[in-house]
Structures are given as C-alpha cells and as structure tokens.
C-alpha cells in the first residue's frame, strides 16, 4: 500500500514532517510551474529520499484546473506537461475557480477549447495522471460533472481518480454520510492511488 499526502503550501517548514515517514509515500506538491516543483522536490528528497514527489500544478489566476480557467494559463501548463519533466505523477485538480469571482463568466466563451486542452494534458503527462474531483452521487451527477469538465471518464482517459470531500463546506451530517458512502462506492469501482 502507498499512502499519498497533499501539500498545498510546500514551504521548508511544512515539509519537515516527511522525515518521519517510514513507509512508501507520495507527496503531491502544489507549485505554479515545473521549475518550482523541481526546487521543492529537491527539498523534499533532502529530507527523505524514500518519498516520491508528485507535481500538483496551481495556476496564478485560476488556481485550480477547469474549463473555466484562463486559456493562457492552460496553454502554459499544457506546454510544461508536453516538455520533459521529472514528475512521475501529475495531479490535475479539477475544481471551479471560486477564488476569482467572475472568472467562470469571463472564460465561458473558451469553455470547449479549454476542455480540449485539459484532455490533451492526459496524453502529455503520461500514465501518471491523477485527478482530484468532486464526488458524484450517481450516474446522473457523474455525467453532469463530466459535461462541466470537472470529472474525466475513466474509460476514455487512463488516470487515477481521487475524490475530494470537504466536510467543512457541508454541515449536515446526513449529506456527509451519503457522500462518504458514494466515495466508498467509487473507491471500489476505480481503486485508489
């Protein structure tokens, strides 16, 4: 079994704890570029050479990857993934850009071309693509997420699916319980990282 950790703010202080890991692990490091990822990866490897570093690209304006992102940011990321890089795994974090108000409306005209660019990332990044996706509650919600480009069909693009579940956003325990059951169903269906 391999345990994965996600470090959104990979400062030297935040990475210190990897020295304590004695089992096979992957740490997904959020970084605005492959160059920055490589710098942080070196820090991580210096603390614990047994740990695998994975690239988690974040975008300057959009932060997360989605068809609602700024097209230029997606072009830059696609170019980075098409060029040789040292990451065996790449996390495509598929989320709506809620941090930048109005971005969804501003980029609606580029939705289809942006969705195609994101799909091209799967072939560019090789077999090590991992997606972070919202949980679906069944086939209809899965289809809805796929139509929005916030989920990627497993049959069409080879990747590992990681389901995100922010309990802080959902206060009602019955809803949390329903989503947790769906995450277990998805894990049984698709496996884990």
């Amino acid at each position: 079994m391999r345990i994965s950790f996600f470090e959104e703010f990979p400062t030297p202080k935040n990475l210190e704890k990897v020295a304590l890991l004695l089992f096979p692990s992957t740490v997904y490091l959020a970084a605005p570029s492959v160059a920055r990822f490589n710098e942080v990866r070196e820090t991580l490897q210096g603390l614990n050479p047994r740990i695998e570093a994975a690239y988690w690209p974040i975008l300057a304006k959009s932060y997360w990857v989605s068809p609602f992102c700024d097209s230029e940011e997606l072009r830059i990321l696609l170019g980075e993934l098409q060029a040789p890089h040292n990451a065996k795994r790449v996390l495509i974090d598929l989320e709506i850009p809620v941090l930048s108000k109005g971005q969804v409306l501003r980029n609606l005209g580029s939705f289809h071309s942006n969705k195609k660019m994101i799909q091209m990332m799967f072939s560019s990044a090789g077999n090590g693509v991992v997606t972070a996706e919202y949980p679906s509650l069944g086939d209809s919600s899965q289809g809805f997420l796929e139509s929005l480009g916030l989920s990627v069909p497993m049959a069409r693009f080879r990747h590992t699916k990681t389901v995100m579940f922010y309990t802080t956003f959902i206060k009602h325990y019955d809803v949390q319980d329903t989503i947790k059951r769906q995450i277990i169903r998805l894990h049984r269906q698709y496996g884990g990282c």
Side-chain angles (χ1 to χ4, degrees):
M1 178 192 307
R2 184 170 205 87
I3 307 294
S4 295
F5 297 92
F6 300 82
E7 182 51 65
E8 191 168 5
F9 305 102
T11 63
K13 177 78 174 148
N14 290 348
L15 292 176
E16 285 177 356
K17 294 176 186 165
V18 299
L20 303 173
L21 297 176
L22 302 175
F23 47 85
S25 303
T26 301
V27 178
Y28 290 86
L29 301 168
S33 66
V34 169
R36 178 66 184 139
F37 162 72
N38 285 329
E39 292 171 10
V40 177
R41 183 175 60 83
E42 285 183 29
T43 301
L44 181 87
Q45 295 293 296
L47 293 166
N48 190 336
R50 295 180 302 257
I51 304 302
E52 176 189 349
Y55 179 36
W56 172 8
I58 54 171
L59 307 174
K61 295 179 198 169
S62 309
Y63 203 73
W64 299 293
V65 174
S66 81
F68 304 103
C69 288
D70 181 78
S71 297
E72 184 58 26
E73 287 184 308
L74 289 177
R75 270 192 279 285
I76 291 168
L77 176 57
L78 179 59
E80 280 194 329
L81 295 178
Q82 288 174 331
H85 54 80
N86 295 327
K88 287 171 48 179
R89 296 176 199 252
V90 176
L91 175 70
I92 305 296
D93 191 352
L94 297 169
E95 296 189 55
I96 295 173
V98 294
L99 298 178
S100 178
K101 303 286 187 239
Q103 190 167 20
V104 171
L105 291 175
R106 247 188 336 272
N107 296 311
L108 207 51
S110 305
F111 177 85
H112 292 292
S113 60
N114 286 351
K115 193 172 175 181
K116 286 179 185 173
M117 270 194 282
I118 293 168
Q119 291 171 351
M120 290 171 64
M121 290 178 192
F122 285 80
S123 57
S124 300
N127 291 331
V129 176
V130 176
T131 58
E133 302 181 14
Y134 297 118
S136 69
L137 299 177
D139 291 341
S140 58
S141 66
Q142 180 63 32
F144 179 69
L145 289 171
E146 287 176 13
S147 70
L148 289 177
L150 299 174
S151 183
V152 179
M154 296 287 290
R156 192 158 172 226
F157 300 99
R158 188 168 183 235
H159 67 288
T160 301
K161 186 181 296 230
T162 300
V163 177
M164 299 177 291
F165 182 51
Y166 298 111
T167 56
T168 53
F169 294 145
I170 302 171
K171 301 295 182 197
H172 200 275
Y173 291 111
D174 289 340
V175 175
Q176 286 183 12
D177 190 51
T178 299
I179 293 173
K180 286 177 186 176
R181 282 196 310 274
Q182 291 304 318
I183 289 171
I184 291 167
R185 178 188 63 79
L186 289 169
H187 179 72
R188 287 184 183 134
Q189 184 176 355
Y190 298 115
C193 290

